[in-house]
Amino acid sequence: MRLLTVSPSTPDPALVAEAAHVLRAGGLVAFPTETVYGLGAHALDAAAVQRIFAAKGRPSFNPLIAHVPDAAGARALTTAWPDAAARLARAFWPGPLTLVLPKRAHVPDVLTAGLPAVAVRVPAHPVALALLRAAALPVAAPSANRFTELSPTTAQHVQKALGDRVDLILDGGAASVGIESTVVDLTGARPTLLRPGTLSVAALAEVLGDVPLPAPSPGREDAPRPAPGMVERHYAPRATVWLFDASARDAMAARLAREAVDARAGALLLSPWDARPAPALPLPMPDDPAAYAQRLYAALHQLDDAGCAVVLVERPPDTPAWQGVRDRIERASR
Ligand code: TXA
Ligand code: MG
């Protein structure tokens, strides 16, 4: 594996061209996006896409997102471009929003896990955009981690998780959004929110003039196969996560004592820990949802690296602005 360090805002075109060359040749390139680092491959090359599944240890029924430099690139992969797509793309692209639309025939089934729809996104990170333009092809990219593990927000996280499973890593600094994109399905009669992110339902509704439906519950006869990350334990650190409300801090302290894990416990806290015993590695977290999202995975990586057996996570408020963060920490605690 090679690691190339580039400027996050103005990446050296020669280095970007090297990465684009690897993609064009069917290789794997990890690159920064504003949400998390992606593990990229030529999206129209079935063998290259297959290498992503192998490197991640990801089951083949989990579809991938095709990254494109602009809305025209998205339209080249899809057979429909409804008004909702046009509005959302205009409002939020480039940015942390993924749209699911009916796919064209040349989009390989391995990319969409056999589904008739493809997920498309225009990332906002200058390095991602430069790479997509230089490669001049759609780039399939899930988060650059092993299946079910923590998503990477730095090149070092990618290196730790994937090592030589990836041909090249573009290091463009830390991701600014910090959790994965909001995914909206536009193949049905009404827009459906498949995965919450940092764009709130209210912000989507304002642009759509329609509130997106929640994702269909898995198991329903007519429901599409649930998207990855929607059913299984996902986005999870190695440590066991204990999710708690601030009002239950004393009970958590008692549990730390009972299970004798306080010395090997970390915590993501929104309010001061005033109980005894205390977790050995308490990390104060920002009380702003965007700042919290940016910090979340890096904090969990840090506690994993420190060898924590348990991570206590104080539940953020149950408000729309916290939906994306709450979704990720709920999944991490399963
Ligand atoms: O922020 C992100 O979206 C990051 C960066 C790298 O762009 N990528 C990412 O990819 O999170 P991944 O593979 O970890 O998540 C892909 C998500 C799935 O959870 C699923 O909801 C949705 O995209 N998805 C992809 N293709 C789909 C399809 N054909 N139908 C429905 N959902 C799909
Ligand atoms: Mg992922």
Side-chain angles (χ1 to χ4, degrees), residues 36 56 58 142-145 149 151 180 195 234-235:
V36 299
K56 279 184 69 92
R58 176 165 169 148
S143 49
N145 53 284
E149 291 180 359
S151 297
E180 301 80 356
R195 180 174 70 183
H234 214 111
Y235 313 115

Side-chain angles (χ1 to χ4, degrees), residues 227-238:
M230 302 192 67
V231 278
E232 69 272 30
R233 179 176 146 96
H234 214 111
Y235 313 115
R238 280 190 294 277

Side-chain angles (χ1 to χ4, degrees), residues 54-311:
K56 279 184 69 92
R58 176 165 169 148
S60 58
F61 54 77
N62 283 0
L64 305 178
I65 298 170
H67 295 68
V68 289
D70 49 36
R75 296 186 72 162
L77 300 177
T78 55
T79 57
W81 193 250
D83 185 50
R87 284 168 184 259
L88 290 171
R90 216 178 299 126
F92 299 118
W93 279 355
L97 175 68
T98 295
L99 301 179
V100 175
L101 290 154
K103 79 172 191 75
R104 286 189 197 252
H106 73 285
V107 175
D109 284 335
V110 60
L111 181 77
T112 65
L115 294 171
V118 62
V120 287
R121 170 163 118 80
V122 179
H125 198 294
V127 175
L129 284 172
L131 179 63
L132 291 170
R133 292 198 182 104
L137 40 86
V139 173
S143 49
N145 53 284
R146 296 279 292 168
F147 180 59
T148 78
E149 291 180 359
L150 280 178
S151 297
T153 57
T154 66
Q156 289 65 44
H157 296 158
V158 178
Q159 236 175 329
K160 186 176 67 169
L162 295 177
D164 281 330
R165 295 169 190 273
V166 51
D167 298 309
L168 190 149
I169 301 176
L170 277 181
D171 183 352
S176 61
V177 172
I179 63 172
E180 301 80 356
S181 61
T182 301
V183 181
V184 178
D185 184 352
L186 296 176
T187 60
R190 289 188 52 195
T192 305
L193 183 66
L194 291 182
R195 180 174 70 183
T198 53
L199 295 180
S200 71
V201 167
L204 296 171
E206 196 174 318
V207 169
L208 287 169
D210 186 8
V211 181
L213 297 169
S217 53
R220 232 179 56 191
E221 261 313 290
D222 58 339
R225 187 191 291 280
M230 302 192 67
V231 278
E232 69 272 30
R233 179 176 146 96
H234 214 111
Y235 313 115
R238 280 190 294 277
T240 303
V241 174
W242 296 355
L243 207 48
F244 72 100
D245 291 310
S247 60
R249 196 180 298 119
D250 288 340
M252 281 293 118
R255 187 172 173 192
L256 283 176
R258 197 167 59 242
E259 300 189 20
V261 287
D262 50 301
R264 291 181 301 136
L268 306 187
L269 301 177
L270 289 164
S271 55
W273 186 276
D274 54 7
R276 286 289 167 269
L281 278 172
L283 301 180
M285 294 294 285
D287 60 8
D288 166 67
Y292 190 111
Q294 184 182 23
R295 179 99 185 84
L296 175 61
Y297 290 136
L300 291 174
H301 275 287
Q302 183 185 335
L303 295 177
D304 260 354
D305 292 347
C308 288
V310 169
V311 174

